[in-house]
Amino acid sequence: METTRPSLDPRVRRANQRLALLLGAVAVGLFVLFIVLNLK
Amino acid sequence: MSIATTATTAPHDEHHGPARGLMRWVTTTNHKDIGTLYLCFALAMFFVGGIMAMLIRAELFEPGLQLMQPTFFNEMTTMHALVMIFGAVMPAFVGLANWQIPMMIGAPDMALPRLNNWSFWILPFAAAMLLSTLFMQGGGPAGGWTMYPPLMLQTGEAFPFVIFAVHLLGISSVMGAINIVVTIFNMRAPGMSMMKMPLFVWTWLITAFLLIAVMPVLAGAVTMLLTDKFFDTSFFNAAGGGDPVMFQHIFWFFGHPEVYILILPAFGIVSQIIPTFARKPLFGYSSMVYATASIAFLSFIVWAHHMFTVGMPLTAELFFMYATMLIAVPTGVKVFNWVATMWRGSLTFETPMLFAIAFVVLFTIGGFSGLMLAITPADFQYHDTYFVVAHFHYVLVTGAVFAIMGATYYWLPKWTGHMYNEKLGKWHFWLSVVFVNVLFFPQHFLGLAGMPRRIPDYAVQFADWNMISTLGGFAFGASQLLFLYIVVQSIRGGAKATGRVWEGALGLEWTVPSPAPYHTFREAPEVH
């Protein structure tokens, strides 16, 4: 296993995770929205 | 762009290279390894999809049914599109993004390396599942890549597997896109402001937002198809109160931005290559950025131009016609900027530059035929003919694929540490550019004469141009074996590449040695 990747500043790591979660939530939300909009 | 960069690459720790053996590739979280995996996968899928294209062209060599049953022909056209779009072009761009974006913005890696590993390793399984449907009872999907109901619902046992494969491909794309957005927003080197980013990074940022916005829409559409088939819903079933035309609206709300997902990174690549070989900064950098964003915005409001003949109110037809024509404005800005960059430059014509120039000329032909298709009354004549096939192949083959090939030649020395064989590269270019036109240009004539697309047999008056198109197709396909040979040869050895590789190359990726060390920018470089 490669183990020597320079470790990220924990603040950057958390910021990355937060932004990724936000974008993931947007994607899931759009998926649900387009199905719900087609329910009658 | 006029950024000056200082070569402040951190000392690279030679003791910590990649893991050894097969597990290196399975467990890797290194952006360069994952980029390589994406590119190898895309190349393999390019040949798989290419074989399908050859089968299609072989059947169309002359009128009548020669080689296959019509159903299998329809499976080939459907799978060729799905494989080339989701298996070849999109993964190739993601591979290029993986390799280049961290190096171009001075980041040590992608922001989310484990997610990156998952994004890739979903792909081979999704592709295997998709291809396996060809061997199932009832055959693979044969209703076209657009998967319109009710035709798509007639697919045999393959149906749920196709839907699941599309879901997986979409999940992979969205995860890759999230990673790219986060990397660009949070991992740029100090001084690398947004308006100093290389154009390739900008176009990929906008592409990633498009992916996050529209891949869930496709997922939603195919999920509704799935429930219509297996859970007795009637989203698109007219007999149950549903509307099959609604599927077409939803599909193309995804599908048109998808077209730009397939071309915006190509714009970025050409915007990197042309300044390098013109030895001039890119003309109109900021206008290029705004033009890319404008194209992305417009892509959301033009979807129904794919459906003029389905029927819609006159005002809707007018709106979608004019909105579509509006795209020519930012696209024209780009084309003029590329030409202005070359104007009075110290031009040299190495293989990447040849592909970039061919892109500008031939993509513009595809753009113009797109404008013709945007004219609603004319579209009633062109719709579902070979004119459409010619149009989108000019955009996607001489556009997207040529840009990917240009990018490969451009960055290959940086990846492998070896120069490719320039003479063979030029042979590959000229063979490709001649035969791609022999392949696709006659299809304009066939379409204007009324030959429908997606048919295995045709009237005798279309025979001559079909024969020429097929000959061009086989020659173009064979030329790509030369591409494979050149790439493999460069990986195995060759003249040593310098760090900068090209005299006119500017940007952070050229400040590191060739081949790029396994870990780059362990300490952030300074960007002035």
Side-chain angles (χ1 to χ4, degrees):
Chain A
M1 291 286 289
E2 37 155 335
T3 55
T4 57
R5 180 197 317 284
S7 54
L8 283 178
D9 181 329
R11 284 170 304 175
V12 176
R13 188 190 298 270
R14 276 196 296 276
N16 288 348
Q17 288 167 348
R18 274 199 298 271
L19 182 53
L21 282 171
L22 174 68
L23 293 169
V26 168
V28 173
L30 284 167
F31 169 72
V32 174
L33 178 71
F34 267 78
I35 294 177
V36 170
L37 285 175
N38 280 280
L39 290 173
K40 291 180 188 171
Chain B
M1 191 180 61
S2 59
I3 64 164
T5 57
T6 49
T8 54
T9 50
H12 301 289
D13 194 334
E14 299 300 331
H15 299 294
H16 300 289
R20 291 182 187 281
L22 182 66
M23 291 311 283
R24 165 185 174 178
W25 301 102
V26 176
T27 62
T28 184
T29 52
N30 181 286
H31 73 101
K32 299 182 183 80
D33 278 355
I34 295 173
T36 302
L37 286 169
Y38 266 111
L39 289 169
C40 291
F41 174 80
L43 189 62
M45 286 295 112
F46 177 63
F47 282 104
V48 170
I51 289 167
M52 294 173 181
M54 295 302 101
L55 288 170
I56 292 165
R57 281 315 322 168
E59 178 57 52
L60 293 172
F61 183 67
E62 58 184 11
L65 294 176
Q66 276 78 234
L67 300 171
M68 59 189 84
Q69 295 298 312
T71 310
F72 185 72
F73 182 91
N74 290 341
E75 288 171 30
M76 285 295 99
T77 54
T78 305
M79 292 292 262
H80 165 73
L82 289 170
V83 166
M84 286 302 201
I85 293 168
F86 293 107
V89 174
M90 286 173 70
F93 281 136
V94 181
L96 293 170
N98 256 290
W99 253 103
Q100 295 306 131
I101 287 176
M103 288 204 292
M104 288 174 135
I105 62 172
D109 204 311
M110 296 293 280
L112 304 144
R114 292 183 184 85
L115 189 77
N116 206 13
N117 176 289
W118 269 96
S119 302
F120 172 76
W121 277 108
I122 286 174
L123 271 184
F125 295 96
M129 190 184 304
L130 186 65
L131 292 171
S132 72
T133 61
L134 288 171
F135 306 99
M136 291 179 183
Q137 188 77 34
W145 83 283
T146 51
M147 298 179 279
Y148 285 174
L151 190 57
M152 181 63 180
L153 298 173
Q154 295 171 12
T155 310
E157 288 180 359
F159 180 79
F161 295 93
V162 176
I163 302 295
F164 191 42
V166 171
H167 273 142
L168 289 177
L169 293 164
I171 289 167
S172 164
S173 295
V174 169
M175 293 198 313
I178 288 172
N179 216 339
I180 286 167
V181 171
V182 177
T183 303
I184 296 171
F185 276 174
N186 289 355
M187 305 279 285
R188 298 193 311 280
M192 177 65 79
S193 63
M194 295 294 276
M195 291 309 277
K196 281 183 184 168
M197 293 194 312
L199 239 294
F200 180 68
V201 180
W202 254 116
T203 53
W204 240 117
L205 177 65
I206 292 166
T207 303
F209 275 116
L210 284 180
L211 275 165
I212 294 166
V214 300
M215 291 310 288
V217 178
L218 174 69
V222 298
T223 303
M224 288 185 272
L225 275 183
L226 196 73
T227 60
D228 272 7
K229 175 97 170 174
F230 294 112
F231 300 104
D232 288 334
T233 58
S234 294
F235 287 108
F236 310 124
N237 178 7
D243 182 4
V245 175
M246 180 54 80
F247 179 88
Q248 299 189 23
H249 281 288
I250 300 170
F251 180 87
W252 286 113
F253 187 78
F254 145 79
H256 201 79
E258 170 69 15
V259 174
Y260 293 102
I261 288 164
L262 296 170
I263 203 66
L264 291 185
F267 290 166
I269 289 164
V270 171
S271 302
Q272 300 298 134
I273 294 175
I274 288 179
T276 297
F277 296 98
R279 292 162 180 79
K280 276 176 64 189
L282 183 68
F283 185 90
Y285 169 86
S286 53
S287 69
M288 286 295 221
V289 173
Y290 295 126
T292 309
S294 305
I295 293 169
F297 169 74
L298 289 170
S299 74
F300 286 104
I301 58 166
V302 297
W303 76 88
H305 68 212
H306 295 271
M307 310 165 49
F308 283 142
T309 59
V310 169
M312 66 185 84
L314 180 65
T315 43
E317 288 185 342
L318 286 169
F319 172 80
F320 286 111
M321 177 172 79
Y322 289 129
T324 304
M325 289 178 166
L326 212 53
I327 296 174
V329 177
T331 312
V333 167
K334 284 182 165 295
V335 172
F336 285 121
N337 279 349
W338 290 322
V339 174
T341 305
M342 287 187 272
W343 178 252
R344 294 190 171 176
S346 300
L347 296 172
T348 51
F349 299 96
E350 287 87 343
T351 310
M353 183 63 160
L354 291 173
F355 273 102
I357 293 171
F359 173 96
V360 175
V361 175
L362 299 173
F363 172 80
T364 303
I365 291 177
F368 277 133
S369 58
L371 269 178
M372 292 168 71
L373 287 161
I375 303 166
T376 312
D379 183 73
F380 273 72
Q381 180 69 28
Y382 305 145
H383 184 83
D384 244 340
T385 70
Y386 255 82
F387 190 84
V388 180
V389 178
H391 155 69
F392 68 71
H393 279 98
Y394 264 85
V395 173
L396 289 177
V397 181
T398 60
V401 173
F402 268 32
I404 291 165
M405 286 173 177
T408 306
Y409 285 112
Y410 184 55
W411 284 312
L412 197 61
K414 178 57 62 188
W415 302 337
T416 66
H418 304 123
M419 296 304 291
Y420 60 87
N421 185 324
E422 185 64 48
K423 193 174 180 181
L424 286 181
K426 286 202 166 82
W427 266 102
H428 171 235
F429 168 76
W430 284 110
L431 288 170
S432 295
V433 83
V434 168
F435 289 118
V436 85
N437 283 291
V438 177
L439 165 59
F440 292 122
F441 209 83
Q443 294 181 5
H444 291 108
F445 310 144
L446 289 167
L448 291 175
M451 178 172 160
R453 57 190 289 210
R454 293 174 172 148
I455 51 157
D457 190 8
Y458 50 82
V460 181
Q461 72 262 31
F462 304 128
D464 290 348
W465 287 121
N466 266 299
M467 190 176 286
I468 290 167
S469 179
T470 295
L471 292 173
F474 273 87
F476 178 71
S479 306
Q480 303 324 307
L481 296 174
L482 186 56
F483 178 61
L484 181 65
Y485 175 76
I486 295 165
V487 171
V488 172
Q489 192 186 42
S490 170
I491 293 168
R492 291 168 65 94
K496 187 91 183 78
T498 60
R500 189 155 166 168
V501 182
W502 311 108
E503 185 192 40
L506 290 173
L508 286 176
E509 78 266 40
W510 307 108
T511 63
V512 301
S514 301
Y518 198 59
H519 295 296
T520 35
F521 301 126
R522 297 181 65 187
E523 287 174 27
E526 288 176 34
V527 181
H528 302 290

